[in-house]
Amino acid sequence: VFYSGGMSSFFAAKRVKEKHGNENLKLLFTDTKYEDEDLYRFLREGAEYLGGDLVWIEEGRDPWEVFKDVRFLGNSRIDPCSRVLKRDLAKKWVHENYPDPSTAILYLGMNWDEGHRLERSQRFWAPYQVESPLMEKPWLERRLMMSELDHLGIFPPRLYEMGFPHNNCGGFCIKAGQAHFRLLLRELPEKYAEVEQKEEEMRQLLDKDVSILKDRRGGTTKPLTLKEFRNRETKDCDLFEWGGCGCFGDFE
């Protein structure tokens, strides 16, 4: 199971355990070195409940170090951080530990409305068999996941309590949109300031007018830095542009 530290991957692993037991259950966590501290707490508590083997691997760099080394600031379409720190690392581990694809099934925590992402993942991982248990009934919404975790005595990751759509990279994601960064500024201003500084460092390094966000007002698209976004009125943003973290399901 690609065990990311989010609720969906936990419940995907839970369904695998209920169907197959946990004797051969591997929970593969790829650490970006940029996670919220509470993710690690949830990761360990969830693994203890599941009883599987928690496999913890890391490339060593964080997303910003990857951006600097490849000399490219990721965006909503291209995510070198996910490729280097998640997909390539996980693929290397799977190939080394299961050289025969028939000896392993790979499980993803994609939900019932993400069939298009599963199809891309299946092409990426072929010839390995790839499944997503949460696409099978009964379907789980977030509120049901939260309720079930409460029943199990496992406190949900704090980022969900704050309203974040995922529990990766400490509330940051290079694919996030204006609504997401508005929430980050409100709930974790110190993290927002850090990301704002990192973005500016990339702009200086590349000597280009690049940014994570885009300003689409007036029918044109132009860069929108996090500094500019912070100085706007908070209501002056696209409240529906959340973007999305899809490290194991979105490919450049």
Side-chain angles (χ1 to χ4, degrees):
V1 179
F2 294 111
Y3 194 60
S4 68
M7 290 194 299
S8 293
S9 66
F10 169 81
F11 280 100
K14 183 173 180 289
R15 288 191 172 184
V16 173
K17 172 188 174 180
E18 291 167 350
K19 184 175 182 178
H20 300 290
N22 58 16
E23 182 179 355
N24 297 310
L25 179 61
K26 302 291 184 182
L27 307 171
L28 183 62
F29 173 59
T30 47
D31 193 349
T32 66
K33 311 296 288 182
Y34 207 62
E35 307 292 354
D36 186 76
E37 281 299 317
D38 194 53
L39 176 143
Y40 300 121
R41 186 272 311 166
F42 179 73
L43 195 79
R44 293 188 177 96
E45 289 184 9
E48 182 178 356
Y49 167 81
L50 294 166
D53 181 13
L54 177 58
V55 180
W56 196 313
I57 60 176
E58 59 187 51
E59 196 268 355
R61 290 176 289 177
D62 68 24
W64 294 102
E65 290 172 316
V66 171
F67 297 151
K68 288 181 179 180
D69 289 344
V70 301
R71 297 187 66 82
F72 183 84
L73 178 63
N75 55 48
S76 60
R77 295 178 296 107
I78 302 175
D79 55 345
C81 48
S82 298
R83 175 178 57 79
V84 173
L85 304 180
K86 291 281 188 178
R87 295 190 292 272
D88 288 355
L89 188 63
K91 199 165 196 177
K92 181 176 183 292
W93 187 91
V94 169
H95 285 175
E96 288 177 350
N97 287 273
Y98 300 98
D100 180 357
S102 68
T103 61
I105 300 176
L106 311 182
Y107 293 97
L108 296 166
M110 295 176 182
N111 287 306
W112 58 271
D113 58 346
E114 297 180 299
H116 59 292
R117 293 181 60 211
L118 178 61
E119 291 175 1
R120 289 200 296 268
S121 296
Q122 290 169 334
R123 291 195 298 269
F124 177 79
W125 286 101
Y128 290 88
Q129 181 178 345
V130 179
E131 298 181 9
S132 186
L134 297 184
M135 291 188 177
E136 302 171 5
K137 294 181 178 180
W139 295 327
L140 289 176
E141 297 178 348
R142 173 175 294 193
R143 59 183 179 84
L144 296 176
M145 293 183 185
M146 303 274 275
S147 177
E148 178 65 15
L149 285 174
D150 183 63
H151 177 72
L152 296 175
I154 302 175
F155 195 77
R158 69 172 191 141
L159 291 182
Y160 291 119
E161 299 285 341
M162 296 178 186
F164 287 94
H166 60 74
N167 190 38
N168 301 118
C169 285
F172 163 72
C173 181
I174 199 64
K175 293 186 173 184
Q178 293 185 19
H180 187 114
F181 277 99
R182 179 174 181 262
L183 179 65
L184 183 65
L185 178 60
R186 186 184 73 201
E187 296 292 335
L188 297 171
E190 292 182 359
K191 185 73 171 185
Y192 186 99
E194 177 184 311
V195 175
E196 179 184 320
Q197 179 183 344
K198 296 288 188 181
E199 180 188 62
E200 181 58 31
E201 290 174 2
M202 284 299 301
R203 289 169 55 83
Q204 296 297 325
L205 174 68
L206 301 175
D207 192 25
K208 292 182 179 179
D209 185 18
V210 293
S211 65
I212 300 171
L213 298 177
K214 300 296 182 183
D215 187 346
R216 299 181 178 85
R217 295 178 301 176
T220 60
T221 300
K222 54 183 179 293
L224 174 61
T225 67
L226 293 178
K227 180 179 179 180
E228 293 171 326
F229 185 72
R230 173 173 54 81
N231 290 329
R232 282 184 179 186
E233 291 288 334
T234 55
K235 63 182 180 181
D236 187 17
C237 75
D238 187 341
L239 298 176
F240 298 97
E241 187 192 44
W242 283 95
C245 174
C247 296
F248 281 112
D250 295 326
F251 307 100
E252 301 150 28

